Short mmCIF file of all heavy atoms in Angstrom, two decimals:
data_model
loop_
_atom_site.label_atom_id
_atom_site.label_comp_id
_atom_site.label_asym_id
_atom_site.label_seq_id
_atom_site.Cartn_x
_atom_site.Cartn_y
_atom_site.Cartn_z
N PRO A 31 20.71 -118.96 -4.96
CA PRO A 31 20.06 -118.30 -3.85
C PRO A 31 20.95 -117.29 -3.14
O PRO A 31 20.47 -116.34 -2.56
CB PRO A 31 19.71 -119.47 -2.92
CG PRO A 31 19.59 -120.64 -3.82
CD PRO A 31 20.61 -120.41 -4.89
N ASN A 114 13.18 -105.26 18.09
CA ASN A 114 12.08 -105.88 17.35
C ASN A 114 12.50 -107.27 16.85
O ASN A 114 13.51 -107.41 16.15
CB ASN A 114 11.68 -105.00 16.17
CG ASN A 114 10.47 -105.55 15.42
OD1 ASN A 114 10.60 -106.47 14.62
ND2 ASN A 114 9.31 -104.99 15.70
N GLN A 163 8.65 -106.32 -22.45
CA GLN A 163 8.16 -105.65 -21.26
C GLN A 163 9.08 -104.53 -20.78
O GLN A 163 8.76 -103.84 -19.81
CB GLN A 163 7.94 -106.67 -20.13
CG GLN A 163 6.84 -107.67 -20.43
CD GLN A 163 6.37 -108.38 -19.18
OE1 GLN A 163 5.74 -107.79 -18.31
NE2 GLN A 163 6.66 -109.67 -19.10
N GLY A 285 18.61 -125.03 -0.22
CA GLY A 285 17.65 -125.17 0.88
C GLY A 285 17.42 -126.58 1.34
O GLY A 285 16.49 -126.84 2.11
N ALA A 300 8.68 -142.85 -2.07
CA ALA A 300 7.65 -142.09 -2.77
C ALA A 300 7.55 -142.53 -4.23
O ALA A 300 6.45 -142.60 -4.79
CB ALA A 300 7.97 -140.60 -2.69
N LEU A 406 7.54 -121.41 -22.75
CA LEU A 406 7.51 -122.79 -23.22
C LEU A 406 8.59 -123.03 -24.28
O LEU A 406 8.38 -122.74 -25.46
CB LEU A 406 6.15 -123.10 -23.85
CG LEU A 406 4.98 -123.38 -22.93
CD1 LEU A 406 3.69 -123.39 -23.74
CD2 LEU A 406 5.16 -124.71 -22.23
#
Side-chain angles (χ1 to χ4, degrees):
N114 184 280
Q163 294 197 69
L406 282 169

